[in-house]
Amino acid sequence: MTLFQLCERPLCHERIGWANGILIDVGKARLLFDPTQGGALRKDLDIFVTHAHSDHTYGFSTGAKKYSTKETLQIYQALRDREVKNNHTVKVGETIRIKEAEISVLNAGHMLGSCQYEVVGPEFTAIYTGDINCVDTLTTQAAEVRSCDYLIMEATYGHPAYVFPRRSTMYADIVSWTMSEIKDGKIPTFQVYSSGKPQEVIRLFNVYTKIPVVCSPTIARASRVHTENGVRLEYVDSSAPDGRRMLKTGACVYVTTNSDHAPRNASRAVATGWAIRQAFRKFTSFPLSSHADHDQLVEYVRKVNPKKVYVFTGYSDMLAREIERKLGMRAGPLPVIAQTKLVDFDETFT
Ligand SMILES: [Zn+2]
């Protein structure tokens, strides 16, 4: 009997679906993962945040009871200077119980503090991946793989064209380009978002070169959380006197969220998985991503070996077709339980 056959019974207590976030309902436990809206939510919901990127952290701005890793909470608070109330920190490897559900925290390999959540109920097991990366990087370890009945996963780079080069090759390419630009009197300037990728780029220069790294104040705040949690990073904040001087004199790398503020002699670069298929005008691009590529996503599903895969975001249709074709597994979009916020649909829920 499948989960959804169970749900079609008059008294359904277990189901998975989309309700402005990933909803997993186990008996009286109502678990909502990475909600896509903040504000008021039903009080009987337990909210889970997978990582600190802004499209996954709306849950922090709700009044409901929330769960995240300590690192995710710290990065969120460092970037927004805002205290989060009613949040309970969990650790990778830990299992908590909420009513009939057991929730385990698994490493996601996407950025510091990122995690997947495994939900075990009386009738089924499910894993929600959030964003995952399936290879080791200089700052993260590859996502953990565990088998389950229902896998709910991101499909950001689910298109078969997105196959990334080996990490060591990309690191070498970045270092080589940087050296050459510095030799030409330029300041290599990487435009990235504030957490995750920039810290990998900083660490890359720390490990493989002696080139000093200057970063913008936002990235410096997120980097401080990394160093406090054991990721060794050496960098200078561009708003500090040393940082300002180095950007004037050159012979450094600049890592920033906004290259408009880069020095005049900047030579601009981006590091993103989209660089596989997309050209970036006036930027040199490197396909360094903190997400799994197409082949890694398919391999991850093969190892998890679920009864059904639910895919969402990015190239979800294409990835679902590839999973069915290559692995012979059922794959498709999440059933929609509600399009509105969970505060609005008490009657339809039960
Ligand atoms: Zn992310």
Side-chain angles (χ1 to χ4, degrees):
M1 185 179 283
T2 71
L3 172 65
F4 294 101
Q5 283 166 329
L6 281 170
C7 286
E8 282 156 12
R9 296 187 312 197
L11 288 172
C12 168
H13 295 297
E14 303 197 351
R15 62 176 160 179
I16 299 172
W18 176 259
N20 274 346
I22 314 298
L23 185 71
I24 303 183
D25 193 14
V26 181
K28 291 193 175 70
R30 292 178 163 179
L31 316 174
L32 185 65
F33 298 84
D34 286 348
T36 54
Q37 281 182 309
L41 288 177
R42 286 175 58 124
K43 290 220 164 36
D44 61 348
L45 284 167
D46 286 284
I47 307 292
F48 290 81
V49 175
T50 57
H51 65 285
H53 286 151
S54 58
D55 52 336
H56 292 257
T57 55
Y58 292 101
F60 281 139
S61 64
T62 74
K65 194 171 183 182
K66 300 169 276 289
Y67 300 83
S68 75
T69 62
K70 176 189 76 169
E71 297 87 344
T72 293
L73 179 71
Q74 287 177 339
I75 295 170
Y76 177 86
Q77 291 183 326
L79 293 179
R80 285 161 193 79
D81 201 17
R82 184 190 300 162
E83 197 194 342
V84 175
K85 292 191 176 132
N86 203 13
N87 191 74
H88 301 256
T89 54
V90 289
K91 286 184 188 156
V92 167
E94 184 179 351
T95 300
I96 59 168
R97 186 164 193 96
I98 298 176
K99 295 165 187 160
E100 293 94 322
E102 267 187 4
I103 301 105
S104 296
V105 187
L106 316 179
N107 172 40
H110 175 61
M111 65 178 288
L112 179 71
S114 66
C115 66
Q116 313 171 69
Y117 291 106
E118 177 196 46
V119 178
V120 178
E123 304 273 1
F124 71 93
T125 58
I127 290 174
Y128 167 54
T129 63
D131 291 346
I132 51 168
N133 191 3
C134 301
V135 296
D136 290 344
T137 78
L138 286 169
T139 50
T140 49
Q141 288 188 320
E144 186 177 345
V145 180
R146 194 177 284 191
S147 60
C148 65
D149 296 327
Y150 298 96
L151 176 64
I152 306 133
M153 71 185 303
E154 62 124 347
T156 306
Y157 293 115
H159 190 297
Y162 287 97
V163 178
F164 302 141
R166 289 168 67 93
R167 211 113 191 138
S168 53
T169 305
M170 290 190 280
Y171 288 163
D173 288 348
I174 290 173
V175 168
S176 161
W177 174 81
T178 300
M179 297 293 207
S180 147
E181 295 307 303
I182 288 178
K183 219 168 141 193
D184 288 348
K186 301 280 177 55
I187 296 185
T189 297
F190 289 83
Q191 183 173 332
V192 283
Y193 39 74
S194 53
S195 60
K197 187 80 61 66
Q199 287 74 35
E200 184 182 3
V201 171
I202 293 170
R203 180 95 185 119
L204 159 63
F205 289 112
N206 292 169
V207 169
Y208 294 115
T209 77
K210 290 190 165 37
I211 306 168
V213 182
V214 180
C215 63
S216 60
T218 312
I219 291 176
R221 287 206 296 278
S223 298
R224 206 165 301 128
V225 176
H226 281 66
T227 54
E228 285 165 7
N229 284 284
V231 181
R232 285 182 59 192
L233 298 175
E234 285 171 33
Y235 58 89
V236 179
D237 187 332
S238 63
S239 64
D242 268 2
R244 285 199 293 272
R245 181 182 50 75
M246 287 160 83
L247 287 180
K248 269 190 193 144
T249 55
C252 64
V253 171
Y254 184 41
V255 185
T256 176
T257 52
N258 184 350
S259 70
D260 291 348
H261 301 145
R264 264 206 202 138
N265 58 340
S267 186
R268 296 161 197 242
V270 288
T272 169
W274 301 116
I276 289 283
R277 297 178 81 202
Q278 192 179 325
F280 293 83
R281 232 163 55 88
K282 297 184 183 170
F283 286 83
T284 299
S285 60
F286 299 96
L288 185 75
S289 175
S290 46
H291 289 262
D293 68 11
H294 169 270
D295 289 1
Q296 290 161 20
L297 290 171
V298 172
E299 179 61 11
Y300 173 88
V301 175
R302 190 187 64 75
K303 288 181 184 160
V304 173
N305 195 24
K307 290 177 187 164
K308 178 152 188 187
V309 190
Y310 295 108
V311 285
F312 70 104
T313 72
Y315 290 100
S316 53
D317 292 351
M318 199 162 275
L319 183 62
R321 283 201 296 276
E322 289 289 302
I323 289 168
E324 293 196 327
R325 189 176 68 82
K326 289 185 175 157
L327 305 176
M329 292 176 189
R330 291 163 61 216
L334 278 162
V336 175
I337 294 174
Q339 291 284 17
T340 53
K341 278 166 59 168
L342 286 167
V343 69
D344 299 323
F345 75 106
D346 266 303
E347 312 73 38
T348 59
F349 195 86
T350 48

